[in-house]
Amino acid sequence: MILKTLRKAGLLAAFLAVAYSLAAPAAAPGAVQFVGSFHWPKSVHKSGGFSGLEMTDDGGKFTMISDRGSLLTGTFTRKGKSIAGISTGSLQPLKDQQGRPLKGARADAEGLAIRRDGRIFVSFEGKHRVWAYTKDKPAVRLPIPKAFKSLQGNSGLEALAVNPQGHLFAIPERSGRLNRPFPVWRYKNNRWDQPFSLRRNGGFLPVGADFGPDGMLYLLEREFTGLGFRSRVRRFELSPSKVLNEETLLETSLWLHDNLEGLSVWKDQAGNIRLTMVSDDNFRNLQRTEFVEYLVRKN
C-alpha cells in the first residue's frame, strides 16, 4: 500500500497528469521495448487495488486479485500488439476454509500464482500466510514457517511465482535492512525452505513475480519516492540452490506508470517474451488502474 503522503496531494493531481504524459522509459539499453498501456477506468471495473496478475500462455485471458479480498477473471481485446479493451466476469470473493468471504485485514491479498493444474495460490498480508484454492473446494492453508511470523507489517509476501516444476516461490516486500538481500522461500514437497536470496539494490522493493517461458524468474519491483512511483524488472537464472545470473531489463523514470504491482510473463505469436503489468490504485482518485506491456528483445 502507498504511504499516507498522497492524501495531502491536492495540487499534485494536475502536476502528475502532466508528468505522466511527459515522462519516458529509462530501460536497460536494448533490453525491452515499450508496447503500450491501457487505462481501465474505475467507472468500468468498479473496484481497484489489483495487486496480483496471471495470464494464459497466449496473453489472451487473465486472472487478478484485489487487496480487498476478491478475484477477477477476464479477456483482453487487442488491436495489433496493444490492449484495446477488456471484458470480465463479476468479482468473486476469496473465501476461508469454511467457505466464508474474507473481510477486513484478513482479506488483504497481495501475491498470486497459478499452477499448471489450475491450483491458485494467494498470499495475504495482515496475517502473513499463503492459501491454495482449487475450483469448487474450500481454501487450503499452507504451513506457516517461523520466518513468516517475523515479517514486517504491511510488508509481507508480495510476490508469488510457480516454476516449471510446479514449486511455489514467495518473496517479501522488505528484507528488514537496506543492505540485506530479499529472502526467497520455496514450497516443495509440502514444506517451505529458503534456497537463496535476491540482491537488494537501491530503493526498489519486490511487489510481483513470475517465471517466464524461458524458465527464468522475473521480479517486478517498485520504488515510492514520496511524490510518485518508479518501477523496475529484473530477471534471474536460477539453479536449485543459488542465483546464477541477474539482469535488469527495465527501470522507469518517475511518473511514467502508476503503482505497478502485478506481473505476468508470456510469449506472443511472434515468439517474443512479453511483460504485462497491472497497477494497484489503492482505491484512491489520484491513482489509476492501468495495464502496461513491454516486449523483451531477443539477444
Side-chain angles (χ1 to χ4, degrees), residues 49-75:
F50 297 115
S51 53
L53 172 68
E54 283 284 309
M55 297 174 60
T56 51
D57 289 344
D58 62 358
K61 297 181 179 180
F62 65 86
T63 300
M64 293 195 300
I65 52 170
S66 166
D67 55 23
R68 287 187 179 171
S70 57
L71 183 143
L72 182 69
T73 59
T75 302

Side-chain angles (χ1 to χ4, degrees), residues 150-171:
S150 62
L151 292 172
Q152 295 173 248
N154 197 33
S155 298
L157 302 172
E158 286 271 342
L160 289 183
V162 174
N163 72 0
Q165 292 74 41
H167 304 145
L168 178 68
F169 291 77
I171 307 168

Side-chain angles (χ1 to χ4, degrees), residues 167-183:
H167 304 145
L168 178 68
F169 291 77
I171 307 168
E173 183 178 5
R174 295 182 183 272
S175 63
R177 293 182 184 177
L178 294 176
N179 60 352
R180 179 184 293 166
F182 299 106

Side-chain angles (χ1 to χ4, degrees), residues 29-41:
V32 297
Q33 176 185 332
F34 179 65
V35 176
S37 63
F38 180 84
H39 176 212
W40 200 25

Side-chain angles (χ1 to χ4, degrees), residues 50-51 110 158 207-208 220 222 259-263 278-280:
F50 297 115
S51 53
E110 295 291 343
E158 286 271 342
V207 289
L220 170 62
R222 169 193 62 201
N259 177 30
L260 298 180
E261 284 203 13
L263 168 69
V278 66
S279 65
D280 177 353

Side-chain angles (χ1 to χ4, degrees), residues 16-297:
L16 287 178
V18 174
Y20 272 124
S21 64
L22 296 179
V32 297
Q33 176 185 332
F34 179 65
V35 176
S37 63
F38 180 84
H39 176 212
W40 200 25
K42 292 180 176 67
S43 59
V44 176
H45 61 69
K46 303 185 187 305
S47 183
F50 297 115
S51 53
L53 172 68
E54 283 284 309
M55 297 174 60
T56 51
D57 289 344
D58 62 358
K61 297 181 179 180
F62 65 86
T63 300
M64 293 195 300
I65 52 170
S66 166
D67 55 23
R68 287 187 179 171
S70 57
L71 183 143
L72 182 69
T73 59
T75 302
F76 290 122
T77 300
R78 293 182 180 273
K79 185 175 181 180
K81 295 181 179 180
S82 302
I83 297 171
I86 296 174
S87 59
T88 70
S90 58
L91 283 165
Q92 299 297 316
L94 293 169
K95 299 179 180 180
D96 63 16
Q97 286 71 35
Q98 287 72 45
R100 301 170 300 195
L102 296 172
K103 296 180 180 180
R106 296 179 68 244
D108 190 359
E110 295 291 343
L112 173 69
I114 302 178
R115 207 165 58 185
R116 287 286 182 183
D117 60 5
R119 198 175 204 204
I120 297 173
F121 297 94
V122 179
S123 61
F124 296 89
E125 288 187 328
K127 181 179 180 182
H128 303 299
R129 67 201 191 277
V130 179
W131 287 0
Y133 292 87
T134 304
K135 186 177 181 180
D136 300 326
K137 294 184 179 181
V140 174
R141 299 178 182 176
L142 272 62
I144 301 177
K146 185 178 180 180
F148 288 9
K149 298 178 181 179
S150 62
L151 292 172
Q152 295 173 248
N154 197 33
S155 298
L157 302 172
E158 286 271 342
L160 289 183
V162 174
N163 72 0
Q165 292 74 41
H167 304 145
L168 178 68
F169 291 77
I171 307 168
E173 183 178 5
R174 295 182 183 272
S175 63
R177 293 182 184 177
L178 294 176
N179 60 352
R180 179 184 293 166
F182 299 106
V184 179
W185 287 291
R186 174 178 58 192
Y187 187 68
K188 177 183 177 182
N189 298 327
N190 299 316
R191 61 181 295 271
W192 291 98
D193 65 354
Q194 191 207 320
F196 44 77
S197 299
L198 302 179
R199 185 174 65 94
R200 183 164 178 168
N201 181 18
F204 289 94
L205 302 174
V207 289
D210 195 16
F211 279 90
D214 54 4
M216 299 181 73
L217 175 65
Y218 289 72
L219 181 68
L220 170 62
E221 298 170 288
R222 169 193 62 201
E223 180 182 41
F224 178 62
T225 67
L227 291 176
F229 302 97
R230 298 176 66 216
S231 298
R232 181 172 71 188
V233 176
R234 291 187 287 167
R235 68 176 173 183
F236 303 86
E237 182 183 359
L238 308 176
S239 77
S241 61
K242 64 181 179 180
V243 177
L244 300 176
N245 187 40
E246 172 193 329
E247 179 184 9
T248 298
L249 296 176
L250 170 70
E251 188 172 313
T252 70
S253 55
L254 193 62
W255 304 310
L256 177 60
H257 304 304
D258 207 287
N259 177 30
L260 298 180
E261 284 203 13
L263 168 69
S264 188
V265 185
W266 54 285
K267 183 176 288 187
D268 63 22
Q269 290 183 342
N272 299 305
I273 291 179
R274 294 279 197 103
L275 311 176
T276 301
M277 294 164 277
V278 66
S279 65
D280 177 353
D281 67 0
N282 290 296
F283 300 96
R284 291 177 178 164
N285 292 329
L286 283 177
Q287 293 182 252
R288 60 184 179 179
T289 298
E290 65 172 336
F291 290 90
V292 176
E293 292 194 312
Y294 285 85
L295 179 151
V296 179
R297 296 183 185 274

